[in-house]
Amino acid sequence: MLSSRAAVRGLQLFTWRSLSTSTCVQGAHTKVYRLSHRQTFAEMKKGSSEWKTVVGGLFFFLGFTGLVIWWQRVFVFGKPPHTLSEEWVAMQTQRMIDMRVNPVLGFSSEWNYNTKQWKK
């Protein structure tokens, strides 16, 4: 084992073209390359499966966030206030129209006081 490694180390001193075809058949090119470099170009460019871990972690945190939002809606937040009901909003809108709130550019500028309808 040690003598074969030393022999291959001796081949490192020569150029690639100087290796004979008999040494190429025995795999000397591969052995010399492996002693000089850890990986071949194809092995270096080969993709990893790390993306699967990243996507799995992303889905985990998205699912966890969904559970937290669901829990908050069910157990933390109460019923919406009565001021958000349709009747209350209609009464508030009518009150603002009657008070002529912001008649130049705002809310009341869109109301026709003669026909008592929204302007088109």
Side-chain angles (χ1 to χ4, degrees):
M1 175 86 179
L2 187 59
S3 62
S4 65
R5 182 175 276 181
V8 173
R9 289 260 185 215
L11 290 176
Q12 280 183 326
L13 301 174
F14 302 106
T15 62
W16 285 97
R17 293 179 190 219
S18 67
L19 294 175
S20 65
T21 55
S22 64
T23 56
C24 291
V25 170
Q26 294 172 357
H29 277 101
T30 307
K31 290 178 183 176
V32 169
Y33 186 86
R34 285 295 182 172
L35 281 177
S36 300
H37 307 287
R38 294 177 73 187
Q39 295 178 327
T40 63
F41 188 74
E43 291 171 344
M44 182 176 62
K45 293 304 252 180
K46 180 183 173 192
S48 68
S49 60
E50 183 182 5
W51 67 272
K52 295 176 187 176
T53 305
V54 171
V55 170
L58 175 77
F59 284 142
F60 173 78
F61 283 113
L62 283 175
F64 182 74
T65 303
L67 286 174
V68 168
I69 290 172
W70 170 80
W71 178 79
Q72 285 179 343
R73 286 189 178 181
V74 172
F75 296 107
V76 176
F77 301 134
K79 294 170 60 176
H82 70 284
T83 56
L84 294 178
S85 67
E86 290 185 27
E87 300 84 26
W88 188 272
V89 171
M91 289 188 315
Q92 183 69 19
T93 305
Q94 186 61 47
R95 180 174 173 266
M96 291 173 73
I97 289 171
D98 293 341
M99 290 174 44
R100 296 180 186 251
V101 172
N102 205 357
V104 177
L105 294 175
F107 192 77
S108 296
S109 67
E110 301 294 324
W111 181 258
N112 188 345
Y113 287 94
N114 297 327
T115 61
K116 300 201 185 262
Q117 292 180 348
W118 292 107
K119 292 179 183 176
K120 295 183 182 181

